[in-house]
Amino acid sequence: MCGIVALVHKEQVNQLLYDALLLLQHRGQDAAGIATQQDRKFYMYKAKGMVRDVFRTRNMRALPGTCGLGQVRYPTAGSAASEEEAQPFYVNAPFGIIMVHNGNLTNAQALREELAHTDHRHTNTESDSEVLLNVLAHEIARASNGQKLEVDDMFRAVRAVHQRLKGSYAVIAMIAGYGLLAFRDPFGIRPLCLGRNADGAAMLASESVALDGLGVPFERDVAPGEAVFISLDGQVHSEQCAEHPVLNPCLFEYVYLARPDSTMNTISVYQARLKMGETLAKRVVSTVPPDQIDAIIPVPESSRPSAMQLAQKLGIPYREGFVKNRYVGRTFIMPGQSVRKKSVRQKLNAVTSEFKDKNVLLVDDSIVRGTTSKEIVQMARDAGARKVFLASAAPPVRYANVYGIDMPTQQDLVAHGRSVEEIRQLIGCDALIYQDLDALKGVITELNPAIRNVDASCFDGVYVTGDITSNDIERLHQERPKNTETDQAAA
């Protein structure tokens, strides 16, 4: 999971890109980078850390230009410790290309060998994004054949890229002297959208909230398999470059990853989470009689809409029982399990009056390892709750994710190989209620009937690209970030 953004404007874009990355910070807190273009020259700065810590005034002054792109990084392959693997990535030939990528290539190792032995291109890191950049650069060189680069050449190159890549990818590349080239994988697993305003500015971003924050009207989502080229004067060209595109967006984006104020694949993330609460209500009633629940309390932040709608459907008081310290990072991307466990109490504090002598239903967006859930249940008991029920707006997470969400191995998933009752005992709650997967899929397909299927692989083990085997999962696990102090899986 990463956040990417790019912009062509009449004014300097450095501050605009910085502001957009702040709005996408939830998609990655490991590293941040910005690159700009002025007079065919690239300027770039990237480093480990959050946006507000990476960029200082001196860095921003060194990023001139009216065209640029940026990324916030959440590593899923390579080395989390290496600043060299922060994005953007750059190659000087052909033309000079800088690129940012959100997603995960499932055939990166095979491509790396092809690049070395067939394409004669060198990669210097373990990042699949550097592999992707070199594949793109090679295909652009072939398509242009040593001549001036035309728009049709770019689209021809993207068609060839689609033929070679497997996995998930939303990509934005800046080509020196030309503009921005963006494309999305043929399954539309990772999000990407386009916006334009009346003064000629054109913008691409992982989520619409970045466009909203900069006052650039949302125009549409980039379609699966589609390529979009934005020239330096703001002209937009697009073409479908995949043979059999089909929209299978990542279900976990709606459950947890995306901001609720974003619109993704024409679906309001907030509305999707409200409907998750409605479908979850049916599951709760079948497990715990509503008259045995005194209050419904969300685990901040992503679960709030689902919890509110659940409370309304059941006619039970909704209460804010946990106060969040906003200056502690999300546990989803905290380093190490021991630090993760400690971070729960640093991050959340219980309001004792909302728990004391009450039966409470806690609502969380998902349960992955179970370590955070166990700690939160104990916090509720320590605050005086008589009974603690726990509901998850997502189904049990039983399988590895290979498309850009750095979840633990299957053996570390609390739901893998366990029944709901066994999970309940491990977490320590009095009742455990999970969302129904078919109902969750129905939420998305109801809100956008054009979506016939979704990537729900972490819930059902069905990988929409159709090329994943158990050996692939083991290999991709080995390619996860190698910094032992940075186990960045969900709690």
Side-chain angles (χ1 to χ4, degrees):
M1 179 180 74
C2 299
I4 61 175
V5 64
L7 186 66
V8 170
H9 204 281
K10 293 180 180 178
E11 302 174 1
Q12 296 288 300
V13 297
N14 49 5
Q15 182 68 52
L16 297 171
L17 290 167
Y18 175 91
D19 293 343
L21 290 182
L22 285 177
L23 292 165
L24 296 175
Q25 185 75 84
H26 61 287
R27 298 189 68 86
Q29 300 176 355
D30 174 73
I34 291 175
T36 58
Q37 178 180 178
Q38 180 172 271
D39 299 327
R40 297 184 64 89
K41 185 176 181 180
F42 289 145
Y43 301 84
M44 180 167 65
Y45 185 75
K46 59 183 181 177
K48 284 181 63 63
M50 297 176 69
V51 175
R52 66 171 183 254
D53 300 320
V54 166
F55 298 100
R56 295 284 185 260
T57 301
R58 64 181 180 276
N59 308 128
M60 299 299 289
R61 287 175 176 167
L63 294 168
T66 58
C67 176
L69 48 69
Q71 193 225 37
V72 284
R73 178 177 184 249
Y74 168 71
T76 57
S79 172
S82 173
E83 286 201 0
E84 293 299 318
E85 298 196 10
Q87 296 187 37
F89 277 109
Y90 165 73
V91 291
N92 68 348
F95 307 107
I97 305 172
I98 282 187
M99 190 201 78
V100 289
H101 164 221
N102 174 32
N104 196 56
L105 300 186
T106 57
N107 65 334
Q109 187 56 44
L111 287 170
R112 189 174 280 111
E113 293 175 5
E114 283 182 20
L115 287 168
H117 301 124
T118 304
D119 300 343
H120 306 297
R121 298 189 70 93
H122 174 69
T123 56
N124 203 49
T125 72
E126 295 301 311
S127 172
D128 65 329
S129 299
E130 189 190 15
V131 170
L132 198 161
L133 171 58
N134 276 274
V135 171
L136 174 63
H138 178 78
E139 297 302 338
I140 287 177
R142 288 183 60 191
S144 60
N145 196 27
Q147 305 299 311
K148 179 182 177 182
L149 188 62
E150 303 292 344
V151 174
D152 286 345
D153 298 332
M154 299 183 207
F155 293 156
R156 191 179 310 115
V158 174
R159 289 191 198 96
V161 168
H162 284 325
Q163 293 292 323
R164 297 181 66 179
L165 302 187
K166 295 180 181 179
S168 65
Y169 48 94
V171 176
I172 308 174
M174 181 165 58
I175 305 173
Y178 290 94
L180 300 171
L181 174 65
F183 52 95
R184 195 174 175 196
D185 71 73
F187 293 90
I189 299 171
R190 299 265 74 86
L192 189 64
C193 63
L194 169 70
R196 283 190 281 185
N197 63 18
D199 66 2
M203 183 175 175
L204 295 150
S206 293
E207 295 186 32
S208 64
V209 66
L211 280 67
D212 297 339
L214 271 60
V216 177
F218 172 86
E219 185 169 302
R220 62 181 179 86
D221 295 286
V222 176
E226 181 185 20
V228 174
F229 173 69
I230 304 173
S231 63
L232 294 175
D233 61 0
Q235 296 297 310
V236 177
H237 309 262
S238 64
E239 187 169 309
Q240 177 55 251
C241 295
E243 292 182 0
H244 304 290
V246 58
L247 181 56
N248 286 174
C250 174
L251 191 54
F252 213 68
E253 289 275 2
Y254 298 98
V255 169
Y256 176 81
L257 299 181
R259 273 182 48 153
D261 45 346
S262 284
T263 298
M264 192 172 287
N265 303 303
T266 75
I267 296 172
S268 160
V269 176
Y270 183 78
Q271 288 297 321
R273 290 178 184 167
L274 287 178
K275 285 189 171 292
M276 289 175 199
E278 293 180 11
T279 57
L280 186 58
K282 299 174 184 176
R283 303 281 288 186
V284 170
V285 169
S286 67
T287 307
V288 181
D291 60 5
Q292 293 185 19
I293 303 171
D294 297 314
I296 291 177
I297 296 174
V299 177
E301 304 259 352
S302 306
S303 64
R304 279 199 174 106
S306 296
M308 286 190 293
Q309 197 73 352
L310 172 62
Q312 183 179 12
K313 282 289 180 182
L314 298 184
I316 298 171
Y318 170 89
R319 294 289 184 265
E320 292 285 345
F322 294 107
V323 176
K324 183 177 181 180
N325 177 358
R326 298 181 182 276
Y327 302 99
V328 175
R330 301 173 88 177
T331 55
F332 188 92
I333 42 184
M334 286 293 292
Q337 186 169 351
S338 60
V339 178
R340 179 185 300 111
K341 183 176 180 180
K342 180 181 178 183
S343 77
V344 176
R345 297 206 179 230
Q346 291 176 333
K347 181 180 176 181
L348 295 177
N349 191 45
V351 180
T352 303
S353 60
E354 297 302 332
F355 293 95
K356 189 172 179 58
D357 299 327
K358 294 180 181 178
N359 296 339
V360 296
L361 173 63
L362 307 182
V363 180
D364 209 346
D365 49 65
S366 58
I367 303 169
V368 183
R369 282 184 185 267
T371 51
T372 295
S373 300
K374 182 176 182 179
E375 193 78 358
I376 288 172
V377 167
Q378 188 58 50
M379 287 176 66
R381 294 199 190 281
D382 292 345
R386 284 198 307 264
K387 288 187 176 182
V388 182
F389 311 120
L390 177 63
S392 169
V397 178
R398 301 187 185 277
Y399 303 92
N401 184 284
V402 301
Y403 297 131
I405 303 173
D406 187 30
M407 286 183 174
T409 60
Q410 288 184 184
Q411 290 71 23
D412 292 328
L413 297 170
V414 69
H416 179 69
R418 293 189 177 98
S419 67
V420 173
E421 174 58 21
E422 289 171 330
I423 302 167
R424 183 198 68 76
Q425 291 178 17
L426 280 171
I427 291 174
C429 52
D430 294 288
L432 176 60
I433 304 100
Y434 276 107
Q435 179 76 267
D436 176 73
L437 179 56
D438 287 338
L440 181 57
K441 290 181 178 180
V443 165
I444 303 305
T445 56
E446 178 185 343
L447 290 171
N448 181 358
I451 298 175
R452 303 292 180 85
N453 191 25
V454 295
D455 169 52
S457 53
C458 57
F459 305 122
D460 60 13
V462 177
Y463 298 95
V464 296
T465 54
D467 62 327
I468 302 300
T469 67
S470 58
N471 290 337
D472 292 323
I473 292 172
E474 178 59 28
R475 175 179 52 78
L476 290 165
H477 167 61
Q478 297 301 322
E479 295 173 5
R480 290 177 67 218
K482 296 176 177 58
N483 181 358
T484 56
E485 295 182 359
T486 314
D487 177 2
Q488 303 208 352

